[in-house]
Amino acid sequence: MSNAAVHPNEINDLTINIVNFNRKSVVNISNITATWSIYESIFNNHCTCDLILTDAVHLLSRLPIVGEELIIFTYKSRGLPMFPKVIRSFRVIKVSDYQHATEKMIVYKVFGIDDHYHVNEGIDVNSSFAGQNCIK
């Protein structure tokens, strides 16, 4: 029995929840998520995510997507167990690529963007800072 090295990017205890727009309903979608990705870039001031859901429980009829929902990833690093759980949240911005896999199962893609995007877009810089201290 070999004892393979654990890569620091491996995760344990993954939970993916979707929270509806009025924050009253939380649905665990971990078991209907086929794949998921989180994208980070040094050229963007925000992160994005996408998930492919294999939905046989008719999630969209129970939890309508209006663009104010949150996708919350909670996980722990397998390779670095001394770090606490990581919680990342993304706001749903798009649902697309509907396909009927079977008579009862729909496969679709959900896209999200983190709150830093909305915070950065909300900051209005409309005055000159020439000649001022960088701390001000």
Side-chain angles (χ1 to χ4, degrees):
M1 186 164 148
S2 68
N3 201 2
V6 176
H7 194 276
N9 290 340
E10 293 182 40
I11 61 171
N12 279 340
D13 305 327
L14 173 67
T15 304
I16 305 171
N17 290 319
I18 188 165
V19 181
N20 75 339
F21 66 95
N22 61 6
R23 311 296 188 256
K24 291 183 180 178
S25 178
V26 177
V27 178
N28 186 334
I29 59 171
S30 303
N31 57 349
I32 66 170
T33 303
T35 62
W36 60 275
S37 298
I38 295 176
Y39 303 99
E40 297 179 344
S41 171
I42 61 171
F43 300 110
N44 292 330
N45 57 1
H46 58 276
C47 298
T48 58
C49 74
D50 62 47
L51 301 92
I52 296 178
L53 301 181
T54 55
D55 185 5
V57 296
H58 304 289
L59 176 68
L60 293 179
S61 64
R62 294 184 302 137
L63 184 77
I65 304 290
V66 297
E68 292 294 321
E69 295 74 25
L70 293 175
I71 300 170
I72 301 174
F73 294 90
T74 306
Y75 56 90
K76 192 167 175 77
S77 173
R78 182 173 176 219
L80 304 168
M82 70 287 285
F83 290 117
K85 279 193 172 185
V86 176
I87 300 172
R88 306 212 35 199
S89 67
F90 296 84
R91 189 172 300 183
V92 174
I93 57 170
K94 181 179 169 184
V95 178
S96 70
D97 299 335
Y98 290 95
Q99 295 178 353
H100 285 277
T102 64
E103 186 176 323
K104 294 184 179 182
M105 184 181 297
I106 300 172
V107 178
Y108 52 91
K109 199 168 191 178
V110 178
F111 297 88
I113 193 165
D114 69 353
D115 286 332
H116 291 98
Y117 174 79
H118 298 286
V119 170
N120 290 334
E121 289 296 314
I123 296 173
D124 185 22
V125 179
N126 56 7
S127 63
S128 173
F129 295 102
Q132 290 189 11
N133 186 328
C134 65
I135 296 173
K136 289 182 182 177

